[in-house]
Structures are given as structure tokens and as C-alpha cells.
Amino acid sequence: MKFRTKQAASMLLAAGFGCAAVGSAYAAESLQDVMKRRNLSQQDLLAASKTYVPTGKRDEFVAFSSGGQSGQVIVYGIPSMRILKYIGVFTPEPWQGYGFDESSKAVLAQGKIDGKDITWGDTHHPAMSETQGQYDGQFLFINDKANPRLAVIDLRDFETKQIVVNPIYKSEHGGAFVTPNTEYVIEAAQYATPLENKKFYPLEEFNEKYRGGVTYWKFDRKEGRIDPKKSFSVELPPYSQDLSDAGKGPSDGWSFTNSFCTERYVGGIEKGRPPYEAGCSAKDTDYMHVINWKKAAELVAAGRAKKINGHDVLMLDTSIKEGVVFLVPEPKSPHGVDVTPDGKFITVSGKLDTHVSVYSFEKIQAAIKAGKFESKDPYGLPVINMKDALHTQVQLGLGPLHTQYDAKPCVAYTSLYVDSQVAKWNYCEGKVLDKISVHYNIGHLMTMEGDSMDPKGRYLVALNKLSIDRFAPVGPLHPQNHQLIDISDDKMQLLYDMPLPLGEPHYVVAIEASKLKPGVRYKVGTDSRTDKKHAGAVRAGEEKTVRTGNKVEVFGTLIRSHITPETIEAEVGDEIIINLTNLERAQDETHGFAVSTYNVHASIEPGKTVQVKFKADKEGVYPYYCTEFCSALHLEMQGYLLVKPKGWKPTKTAMSAGTNYSEADYKAQLKKVVDTQAVIDSVVGYITGVNYKDFPDVVAMMDDAVDQLGKIKDAKAKADEAAGKKDWNNATLWTEQIWQYQVKAADLGLRAKTYLEQNGAKKAK
Amino acid sequence: MKFRTKQAASMLLAAGFGCAAVGSAYAAESLQDVMKRRNLSQQDLLAASKTYVPTGKRDEFVAFSSGGQSGQVIVYGIPSMRILKYIGVFTPEPWQGYGFDESSKAVLAQGKIDGKDITWGDTHHPAMSETQGQYDGQFLFINDKANPRLAVIDLRDFETKQIVVNPIYKSEHGGAFVTPNTEYVIEAAQYATPLENKKFYPLEEFNEKYRGGVTYWKFDRKEGRIDPKKSFSVELPPYSQDLSDAGKGPSDGWSFTNSFCTERYVGGIEKGRPPYEAGCSAKDTDYMHVINWKKAAELVAAGRAKKINGHDVLMLDTSIKEGVVFLVPEPKSPHGVDVTPDGKFITVSGKLDTHVSVYSFEKIQAAIKAGKFESKDPYGLPVINMKDALHTQVQLGLGPLHTQYDAKPCVAYTSLYVDSQVAKWNYCEGKVLDKISVHYNIGHLMTMEGDSMDPKGRYLVALNKLSIDRFAPVGPLHPQNHQLIDISDDKMQLLYDMPLPLGEPHYVVAIEASKLKPGVRYKVGTDSRTDKKHAGAVRAGEEKTVRTGNKVEVFGTLIRSHITPETIEAEVGDEIIINLTNLERAQDETHGFAVSTYNVHASIEPGKTVQVKFKADKEGVYPYYCTEFCSALHLEMQGYLLVKPKGWKPTKTAMSAGTNYSEADYKAQLKKVVDTQAVIDSVVGYITGVNYKDFPDVVAMMDDAVDQLGKIKDAKAKADEAAGKKDWNNATLWTEQIWQYQVKAADLGLRAKTYLEQNGAKKAK
């Protein structure tokens, strides 16, 4: 469907698309020129128009993706598919200072296992906090499969606040999933192991001593933290439990967890036995676990749990006796158990089956109520006959994997791994509606708020694992490919290929951007990891360095372009503790802090206070500096850590000045200050001449500029005093400092001016 | 310029832009609908058409950006601005296994300072290797400002191969810059310190004992490594040296380094002294260092250098005596010293001056030849009068910073930090041509191969430090904003805003995508960090586990979907060494490897061999698994590390089978195999019916599929043997394994089919 005729092209020109500049050396291309040069089809242009977000405009949805073995969470905008942030979760990340300042080290230290640091994680399934089954945009939960852990991210500042270690598993793939009011965060075991920590049993005792389970982590929304003491687990047979979902509406109070390798095969390829993949997929069905979590919670509260490694576990015999856990066969090796928005059905796909199976919660409940079971599993759990639980089955294709829902009634989408396709189908009537090819080998897929009670439709993201020919090559380790698909029409349309530059995402959730309301800056002196006042915070003018024994503690501040203090003196072997508060008010004026060769870094956003700590175990001179390009003089935002030999005494007390200044230098500085004030006055004139007060960002910038100008008084007093004494060095430098404050105020003013022009400011009334 | 009339809209429809589906429940939007709904202007649509890259098409240029304090390099495509990869350089990164397997740990260990790990870096200025002054796409160099280090990345596999520590500095901002044939990689000191390592001198002796310098790292292109023994430095006064550039063409053999704080001010805000920013910017000029590096190299080779910390340093007195270093005043606090493509001029901008200064290399040489100097600096270096060296100065605006060049003759672009603008100007005639606003506070800028002898023009990227209102908010730490600007026309046009999700980039280089020719897979058994055969590599069938004393060494392999071995047995306290070779041939079939809670991870691309090592210091059962979603049964790609108590003896020797299989199960498996073969035959029929041999990627996939099918013979023999003995368990499982091979072959075949359809395969002749 490319332009075939000159006529079509000239119509485009008539429609006003031509932009040819007249009389220029290099003529601007028209739309038709660009389409021809870049070999774009009409369909490509339509896709471009659906995904392009012009400067200053925002994405409609914000997606949160697991980063897989990068141990992070990836945040991106939809439909532009631009990545907005990588959030450090299980892996230290120096740009964010994560794992380099003391408070964030303490968060990572919560994730220690058996007393040892784990410096990475395998994140798989993020979950957004929910209120009444709808995404509320407050918290994000993410698991670590390799080291069974779960993290809490606060979406007020997009920082990781807590890591909890599962006390009874050795791996867990199936977290995080939340109950409809985020009462609990659900996390299922993956590979069965003995539940007692550091306990060895041979594989010969697999059936007897190895176990799986599902953990329900209690979330305290007010504290924004998981409460491990109020959390519990339900013991399960040594099947490989996999993904879960919480019931909602009619099925609220129940949760569903699928599984694979219910054959309980233990491999042994090295001994000539068939490998795991054969032994773990030989049966046609595995089990969906149907769990009454409300009843389980009541039983635990009633003291019916057993403590294992200090953690409440509802054992199998109690679950069987009290009717907490039921099994339903599901097609083999499934991945995903997805409750419909109305809470009435649960869909499961076996990756080695061509069908998607739709289970009816009502039918399952009827079977349970009637006590109608086809058998018991080897551990005594009642098994409901598949036919008694099924609403319908639909043949979709090869490798069906994960299902998400549309805003349109009864419409679902399922990824087909082997076919490299997405199938659109109707789960009420059980029929296929459409299919589209993706590139290549799709794992999970995701629709907007598509696992909540109120899916938003419009877009679908295919999380393709392989991208072989899609992108410019970057070596043997390829990016994955998230493809954006338009689902607003009857036919799905491929819109965009997005490479994933870091990490191997497994699952994504996306929320309407308008639901996210992050803070723009911290209250001055905040420890962002505890949300409390930082003990090391000081205000401007209160900076100090305190020596106690062999401990040197700095209480410093940061503001464009100084670190206070600019010199830290220590002796070899001293413990150095540096607390730094960012005094800026402009919301994006982050400062960083690094000390040469001491492996120290911090990111200090406006209002934040951080602490870094290290032993000054090397004699010498170590520069420190602000690592963020924060102003025109950010390179000069520096200082020296001086580490002296023990007992060192100065032999030279006067400093040889590098440069001496004259009265003429001082006068030249004075003139510069007067000239610059004229620039500032003109910018201020523009800003106050428009409705700048309607723009909170600009008001904050103006506050910040006024802060900078406010510092002039003190610098001027010092300059005047020095000039009075004919101390031309200090008179010149303090006047230079006045000019620096002016430059920063002008910088803010000019940015505010550009901002106002961009955002359609109008003449003030 | 939005659509104002229905007429224009209907013309668009006439031009074939309408895509409304007839008789559908949800009608497809036309281009005009989309533009109206999304409030896109005609200019927006034009920008979208210039940046959108449809699925399967590639970007024209590939950019390499420093990641700042993330310690990484960011790779992205232009014009789509999609990030393709984060390369781990100074910071461990688990997705790539970087810092988690033994070979990559060894690379990071090269970057230890004073015997200690540094687990982050502050990357600033990447440089592409050059041949005859042109980008050759072979290697990338990147510095660490905080801990003075330099890394070498091989663009055959986009992996970091080497880290060198600067032996005499404590910080360095001004690396990396290469000479025209990459003879040397240039790295300048930043904050002056004593050159002797771990040597303390007080700030009172700053002028006497602190020094700066420029290091010339010798690059051995054949080895792909820096040769520290053949590298040297030139001692410089304690000014803060900053960025550099190498001469080229007529100026080849010389290099240029700018500086700030030639006032040699040492701060002291905590003592009531004016801060660094005042004392370091009080003079109107700093110094550009003009260095004859060829002569310096000759002098070093002739033994004229002094060894400091074991490293050759050409001392100031020798440089002065031999005419190696000259100074030229430059406007104060500059950042960037950029040689024009023809090598005739050098541009410098003082951030606190409104001009860009164009120096003439010819004039500088004339002054040197004539011995015409205005003075000597306090260290005896000859200073050339600014007027004697200047070609022209052009007033550009507030905060001029960095200059890059166009393919068009005499055309340059300079970033204006305070004005938040890019200025386009003519450096031959000294006039401003155009300006454009950017959002906000631009640091560096970059044009395509714009610092080489052959700039490509077309695009410019503005590296904006602040993005306040540009993107959906993600908390107090904002992304930076790289804006793509079209420079092909007389007027610059803003095309795209790209958020930076991780790291704080400082500088970028971009190369024509066609010049990059990375490998698609490793030769089987390669240690990717040494480019040599890995001692732990084995071929299929050679896998083994060897115990020597308390050391357990595994020589294993990975192929969809097995890890061989599937069980590793150890006693508490054993040292575990696991070597793994990826046997895949499909280029994107990477496997990962993780061991539960032992902080072990590896990324193993096809052909690669890695080694991980840890002490099994905890009794218990620890699953290991493949962390890459590599096939439909990747969850089953697992194994167990069994850590027994010392002296443990088995009490139960027979394994209780989880599931028993009957003859009927075996026969069902046989039927499944026959049915699946029909699917494979149909896919093979399609592929061999088209010109698949014209597609190397597909040929590799077919090889891989044939590999999988080739394994069937062995599995079938085992199944037949077991069936002969009526061992239905093994007969069933080995037949299941045959089916697994079929599924993987079918998966590859279906992907190849989609690939061929996407890439326009034609009927075979």
C-alpha cells in the first residue's frame, strides 16, 4: 500500500503536508518524500501516528515490567514504548545510589539469605496494588525466583522499600499476585525442596520429604510494608507450583495456583535417565490448586498452623480436614491461571496442549459443596473431575501460555509460544475471533489493567522472547522484543517493536498514567527508604564535622554548585560517615556524591538526606564531587578528602594562593554583576508578564531562583567587607560568587521561560 | 498547523489514508481520526514519519552513550531512539552474568584499586576506534571519572574485555579520545592530586605537590587490548584538565586538552572562604593545553620519562625543554575542545562566556615555530597569545558547551546549557545560522560520526540534563532527555524526546549501523572475556563431574531444555566449580544459569563457555535452573545441588517413583509422535518450498532444528530397548523425550516460517 501515483502524492501536498522551504540550500522533506525515502507504507504511517508522543505530551499508560535476571523493574510508557526508569530492586544500582548509601544498603540487607548478601535477583511477576479489584497505583510488588524473595516498591517515589525472604522455599516463580484489596500478596514455591531451612534429604525421599506451597504475605497498606509476622503459608505436595491469581467478586476469598511436574520426576540425565523435560511432561494433565485463603487465614489465626523456621504453615492434613485446598486437572505444563474480570471464570493453558481451558468458579464450588470428587491425589487432596469444573475449552494453536482480558465483554487474548502468535477469543461463547503473528516466541502478554476487575482495552503488549532479525545487531546476547498491538478494532494491528536493552522481562502490568501520583520532591531531611526524618539531616548554615575518637562524621548539604564542606580531614584508619541533605526546591535538581576510589556513591534528590560510610584506610588525597550535571559549574562542585598519616603535623601553615586579584579585577566583577542583573530583569519581566502562577513547576523554579538570589545578600556583605579592607582577593571572589548566584537564577529563569512558551502560557491579566 | 477543515481530511481519505473497516463492530481509525484523537499536528506526523522504524526494519545509526554513574554504556538506534543494550562495564550486571561468572569477575578485578573492588563507575566519554580518522566500528573505549579507569569494549560481541587503572591520578573526566588510527587512547586527569599513589600532602602545598596530566594509553589493535607497559603520561600543572581531542590530517600527532580552575583555588566554604565555584571561575580565561604527543612518545621511548608508581611520566621540565606542551588561553570554564573534520581548527566554548572560540592549528604552529609567546605560566610552560591563535570568535548565547560537526562544509553545532538551545553556525565565516530550543539544559550534543574526519550529518542528538515536564512522572529522580533533531535542512527540526531510564549520560558517539559487524555466535567453547578456548569446555556426550579432595568440578552443557548434569552432589564445605557450554546453534538461544541462594548467575550465549564458582557452605537442597525463557519447557530446564552433611550415608537407596506408566501410556506417546511428525513435515514442506537458503538466519535455525531431530535416534533406541523389556516407565519417558525434540524442531520451523513470511521469501526455483 505504498504511494503508487504522483496524484496521491500531490493530493497530500494539497492537504497541506508539504513543507518545502522556498529558496533554501537544503529543502525540507515533505511527508511523501519521507515515506518514499524510508520506504514506509500507509499502514506504517498509521502505526507511527498511533505511537508517536510529541515533546511535552505524555503517554496514556505506564507499564511495569519485571527485568528477569537483571533483578530490576522496568517502567515504560504506552503507546510510545519509551522506557522511563529502571528501578533497582534486588541488584545494587549506583545511579540511584541503591546499595551504595546506608539506607538503601539496609533495604538490600533485608534480602540476605543465611546471613549472606545476594547481589542479584530473578524478577518475574510484578503486581500492582489493588483497591476493590482495581489498580490503585500505590505500590508495586515483585518477586525473585532464584532466591525466594519479594520486594515492595512505593510508587510515590518509585523506590524499593522492603525485601522479605520466604522462610520455607528455595525458589519461587509464582509471585507476586494480590488479593482484591491487597490484603495479601501471593507467592508460590517453584521447585520442591524440604521446607526446613538448610535441611538435606536425598532425592530418594523426594515424595516424602520435599514439599511445595503457597505463601500469603500480609500487606500493611498504612505502613506500606509487608508484615511477616501476620503472613502464612499453605503446605502443598511436591509439585512445581507455578503462577497464581486471586479470585475477585464472586470468587473473592479464593486463590488459584497452577503447577507442572505433578509427575514428581527428579531427572538424572547424567545417569542415563530421561531428562526433566521428558519426566515432567509425560502426563496429559497437571493440577490447578484451588485454595480458600480466607479460611486458611482464619485457621492460622486460630492457632492451627505449624511453625516451620519460625513461620506459620498450614499443613496438608489440616487443609484436607478443613476443606482449604482442592485440585482440578489442567492441561499439562501450564503457565498462567487467569481469573476473568467478573471473577466467574479461570482460564488455564497447557503449553503442550493446543487448547485454552475455561473453568467455572460456580461449577467448582458446586462440586466442592456436593463433595463430588473423582479421586484423591497421593497426598490426600480431593481432586475435582475436569469435566465438572470446565465451562469450555477452545482450540487456539501451539504453545498457548498466558491470557489477559479486554474491556470488551467476554474478550480474551492468549499468547501462543510455539506458533509465535496472539489469539483473540471469546471465553463466554468459546470461539476464536482473530490471530496475529508476533516476532518471535511470545511468553506472557499484557493488556491495559488486563488482570484487574476493570480492564481498559485499547493496547496489548506481546512479550516476545526472541527478536533475531528485528533490530540492529548488538552481539550474541540479543534484546527481547515487546510488541505493541492495537486491540481497539476487531482486527488486531501490530504498532511497534520495542527492544529490551537490559534484562529478560517475564511479565508486565500497565496502569492508566493518570492513576499514578508520585511525589515531586521529598520533605527536607527525608530518609527515602524509611519515609522518616533522617538523623543526619541539617539545614543550610547548620553544617558541621564532628570527630569522636576515630570517627569523623560530616553533616553536610548540597545546593548548586557547592558541597558543604569542601574539605574533610581524617587520619588513616578513621571511620568516615558523611550525611548529605539536598537543599534544592526545583524538583529535578538531583545531586550525586562520589569519593574517589573509596567505592562510595549516592543519589540525593531534592529534600533527601543520605548517609555514606567507609573506612579511610588509605593515606592520600581523594577528591569528592557531585556526579549529576546540575548546573553550568557542576564540575566545580567538588571537595577533597585529606587522609593524613597517623600523627601528621603541618610544616607549612600558609597556603600559597594560586591567583591574586587586584582592585581592577574586583571592579570588573562588579560591572559583570550589574550587566547580568539586566538579563535577569528581562527574564523576570517575561515570566511575570504571563500567567506563570498557573504552572506549579514554574512556581517551584521561581522559588528556587529566589532562593539563589536570596544568597546574594550574605555574599555581598562579605565582598563589601573585604573591599573595605582592600582585600581584593576576597572582594573579587565573593563578587564572583554573587555572579554565580545570578547565573543560576538566570538559568532557572530561562528554563521557566522555555517551559512557559512550550506549555502555552498566556499574557497575565 | 492542525487539520482545520473537513476538506483537508477528506483529501487525505482520497489519498488512501482511510482504513475504516466496513460492517465491523469496532471500526478502525483513519489517520485523520488518530490525529484528531491524539491532538497531533502535521509537524508531529512528519516527525513521526521520520523516526518510526517498522517491525523488521533497522535503524540507520547506532549510538553509544555513557551511562554516567550507572557505570555502563547505553546503546541505542537512531532515528527510532530505541535502546538496544546496556553494556556492563564498571558495575556488575547479572543479566549479562557480568561480575557473576569467573571470567567476567576477572575483568572487573582488573579494575580493583589498592587491592579493593570498586563496584561502580562514573562513565563519561565513549570513543569509537578509528582508522584514518574514520569510525571503524571495532572497539569502544569508556572512562570512569570517579575511579580513574578506562575500559575496552569489543564490538564483535559488545562485551567489556579489559579495565585499566590510571596509575597516577585520583580522578579523570577527560577520557576517552582516540588518535586517528587508535594508536593511543587519551585520558586526562581532572582534580589535581599528588601523583604518587597513597601520598598525602596538605592543601597548603597544592601548588608545589599536586599535579594534573594527560595519559596516552597504547592500544594494541591485534590483541584488542590496551598495553599498559607501552603507555605513558605527560605531567601537567595542577589545573583541572578536562576534555581532549586528537589532531587529525594536518594536526595529526598533536592533541588538545582544555581545563578549568587554572586559578588553582582550593575551596573552603566550611571555613567561610568563597566556595570552589567562585574561586575556580574568577579569571576570564583558562588554558587549552596543546601537546605534541608524537614527540612525547619518542622522548618516552628514548628513556626520558620518570617512573612514578611504575608508570612512565614525561615530567614538566622535559616537556618545556623539548617543546612538548604549550598553553593558549581559552574562555573560562570550558567543556570540550573539538577539532574540525579537516583537522585545521579547534573550537572551545567557555561555559561562562557567550562565545565559541575557533583556534587555527596553523596559527598555533606558526607561533610555536616563531617562538612567539606572551608569557610563561607559573610552571614555565610557554603561553601563546590568544589573538595569535584565534581564527574567529562567534557570539552564540548563554552557557556554550560542546561542538560537533556536520557533513556540510564549515557547519558546526554548539550546545547552550543556560539558554537551553542548540546553535548552528559556520566556523569558517564565523556566523550564526540557526537556533532551536531544547528541553532542558543541554550538556553535550552529538552529530552522526560528528567528531570524525567524515561526519555524516542528518541527525543531531541534544543530551538534555533536565526533563521536568516531558514525561509521565516516575518519582523525584527524573530521566534525562535525549532529543533527536533533524539537521538535514537549513532549519533544525525537533523530532523526538527520548527518556533515559537508567544512568546519567554525558557524551554519545553514533556510527552508521552498517559499519558494525558483530558476531552472531561464539565458536563452541569460547571464553568470551579472553577470546580464547575455555578450559572448562566440553562437547555433547563429554559431560562429567570430577571430585578432587573437597573440590567438585562440573563440566556440563546446555541445550534446549536440559542442563547436563541434572544433579550435583556435594558435602558441606566443598568448593563447587561449574563449567557450562551452550551447545545451541540458533544465534539467539541464550541460556542462563542460577543456583538458589548461592548468589550465582551466568549468561551463556550460543557457543560460550562460562565457569561459576562458590563454596557449598550450607547443607540442604538447592535447585538450579536456566534463567532464560528458552523453549516451551524452559521451566523444566532444572536440576538440584544436593549439599549433604559431612559423612552422610544413604539409608534409602530406591527412589519411590512419582508416577508409573503403563503400556497404554507408551502407545499414546507413540501416536503423539506420529501426529507431530505430520506437523513438522508440513512446516518443512513450506520452508524448502521457498528460497530459505538466501536467509542465513533461517539456515542457522534449520541447522538447529536438524540438531534437535538428530537426537531422536538415540532416544528412540532407548525407548525401544525399554519397551522390549516391558519397562513402560522408561519406554514412555524416552518416547516423550522424542516428542520434546520434535516440539523444539517444530518451534524452530514455525519461527523460520514466520521469519520467511516477514522477509519476503519467494518460491524456490
Side-chain angles (χ1 to χ4, degrees), chain B residues 270-306:
Chain B
E270 71 284 352
K271 299 187 192 92
R273 283 165 52 89
Y276 272 103
E277 64 169 328
C280 286
S281 62
K283 281 201 314 171
D284 282 341
T285 55
D286 286 299
Y287 288 127
M288 172 165 73
H289 303 74
V290 177
I291 303 177
N292 187 338
W293 64 258
K294 281 207 173 153
K295 191 180 246 187
E298 287 163 15
L299 291 166
V300 171
R304 301 283 297 278
K306 179 180 166 184

Side-chain angles (χ1 to χ4, degrees), chain B residues 595-637:
Chain B
V595 182
S596 162
T597 75
Y598 270 108
N599 207 27
V600 164
H601 187 255
S603 173
I604 312 116
E605 295 82 44
K608 195 191 256 191
T609 300
V610 300
Q611 182 180 85
V612 296
K613 213 164 155 175
F614 57 97
K615 196 172 174 186
D617 54 5
K618 306 182 288 187
E619 180 185 326
V621 176
Y622 302 93
Y624 53 86
Y625 67 96
C626 169
T627 52
E628 281 275 344
F629 192 158
C630 55
S631 75
L633 282 180
H634 103 104
L635 289 175
E636 290 79 357
M637 195 164 169

Side-chain angles (χ1 to χ4, degrees), chain A residues 248 338-348 356-360 390-394 396 403-414 423-433 450 452-455:
Chain A
K248 42 201 169 194
D338 301 288
V339 179
T340 55
D342 59 12
K344 290 183 181 170
F345 303 104
I346 307 114
T347 60
V348 176
V356 62
S357 302
V358 183
Y359 294 90
S360 157
L390 271 182
H391 165 66
T392 185
Q393 276 193 318
V394 189
L396 293 182
T403 297
Q404 287 252 295
Y405 301 100
D406 201 334
K408 296 166 193 163
C410 299
V411 175
Y413 301 86
T414 299
K424 174 179 178 177
W425 57 285
N426 181 309
Y427 61 83
C428 299
E429 297 170 25
K431 64 180 182 192
V432 176
L433 302 172
S452 76
M453 290 188 78
D454 187 20

Side-chain angles (χ1 to χ4, degrees), chain B residues 346-564:
Chain B
I346 307 115
T347 59
V348 177
S349 311
K351 290 198 300 291
L352 300 182
D353 187 276
T354 57
H355 297 86
V356 62
S357 302
V358 183
Y359 294 89
S360 158
F361 182 72
E362 201 180 333
K363 287 188 177 182
I364 289 171
Q365 289 301 309
I368 291 171
K369 211 167 178 182
K372 191 182 175 201
F373 304 113
E374 66 170 26
S375 63
K376 287 184 177 176
D377 87 333
Y379 297 85
L381 287 171
V383 180
I384 298 167
N385 187 293
M386 195 167 171
K387 280 181 194 148
D388 290 341
L390 270 182
H391 165 67
T392 186
Q393 276 194 316
V394 189
Q395 180 144 10
L396 293 182
L398 299 177
L401 196 144
H402 178 222
T403 297
Q404 287 252 295
Y405 302 100
D406 201 332
K408 297 167 193 165
C410 298
V411 175
Y413 301 86
T414 299
S415 51
L416 302 174
Y417 180 87
V418 176
D419 270 340
S420 290
Q421 289 188 318
V422 171
K424 175 179 178 177
W425 56 285
N426 181 308
Y427 60 82
C428 299
E429 297 169 26
K431 65 180 181 189
V432 176
L433 302 172
D434 189 24
K435 281 192 187 186
I436 190 170
S437 287
V438 294
H439 315 93
Y440 299 89
N441 291 79
I442 177 173
H444 283 274
L445 50 67
M446 184 266 296
T447 56
M448 305 303 98
E449 304 194 15
D451 58 12
S452 77
M453 290 188 79
D454 187 21
K456 303 300 179 197
R458 188 164 287 285
Y459 303 109
L460 178 148
V461 177
L463 281 70
N464 306 313
K465 308 312 290 179
L466 303 176
S467 67
I468 187 163
D469 62 334
R470 296 291 101 175
F471 307 115
V474 289
L477 181 58
H478 292 235
Q480 304 216 350
N481 183 12
H482 284 196
Q483 284 181 311
L484 184 68
I485 293 168
D486 184 344
I487 57 169
S488 55
D489 183 23
D490 281 349
K491 294 288 292 175
M492 292 180 278
Q493 286 170 12
L494 184 60
L495 295 181
Y496 197 91
D497 282 40
M498 174 212 194
L500 272 297
L502 174 62
E504 192 225 354
H506 290 264
Y507 190 46
V508 184
V509 291
I511 184 171
E512 279 184 326
S514 59
K515 283 189 183 175
L516 292 171
K517 303 201 187 304
V520 294
R521 74 184 69 74
Y522 295 102
K523 200 176 153 189
V524 179
T526 300
D527 178 338
S528 68
R529 302 290 171 175
T530 62
D531 306 328
K532 297 195 170 79
K533 177 97 180 169
H534 195 294
V538 290
R539 282 180 293 188
E542 296 177 349
E543 300 91 346
K544 61 184 173 182
T545 300
V546 181
R547 171 180 279 280
T548 323
N550 64 350
K551 195 170 82 179
V552 176
E553 184 159 12
V554 173
F555 298 84
T557 61
L558 305 162
I559 193 160
R560 276 161 294 171
S561 315
H562 343 127
I563 303 166
T564 303

Side-chain angles (χ1 to χ4, degrees), chain A residues 295-413:
Chain A
K295 190 181 245 184
E298 287 164 13
L299 291 166
V300 172
R304 299 283 298 277
K306 180 182 166 184
K307 291 271 182 202
I308 301 179
N309 308 327
H311 170 75
D312 280 326
V313 182
L314 200 67
M315 303 304 283
L316 268 169
D317 53 356
T318 312
S319 290
I320 293 164
K321 193 172 165 192
E322 300 291 342
V324 169
V325 181
F326 304 89
L327 302 177
V328 190
E330 55 186 5
K332 69 174 166 182
S333 302
H335 196 57
V337 49
D338 301 288
V339 179
T340 55
D342 59 12
K344 290 183 181 170
F345 303 104
I346 307 114
T347 60
V348 176
S349 312
K351 289 197 300 292
L352 300 182
D353 187 276
T354 57
H355 299 86
V356 62
S357 302
V358 183
Y359 294 90
S360 157
F361 182 72
E362 199 180 333
K363 286 188 177 182
I364 289 170
Q365 289 301 310
I368 291 171
K369 212 166 176 184
K372 191 182 175 200
F373 306 113
E374 66 170 26
S375 63
K376 287 183 177 179
D377 87 334
Y379 297 86
L381 287 170
V383 180
I384 298 167
N385 187 293
M386 196 167 170
K387 282 181 193 148
D388 290 342
L390 271 182
H391 165 66
T392 185
Q393 276 193 318
V394 189
Q395 180 145 9
L396 293 182
L398 300 178
L401 197 143
H402 178 221
T403 297
Q404 287 252 295
Y405 301 100
D406 201 334
K408 296 166 193 163
C410 299
V411 175
Y413 301 86

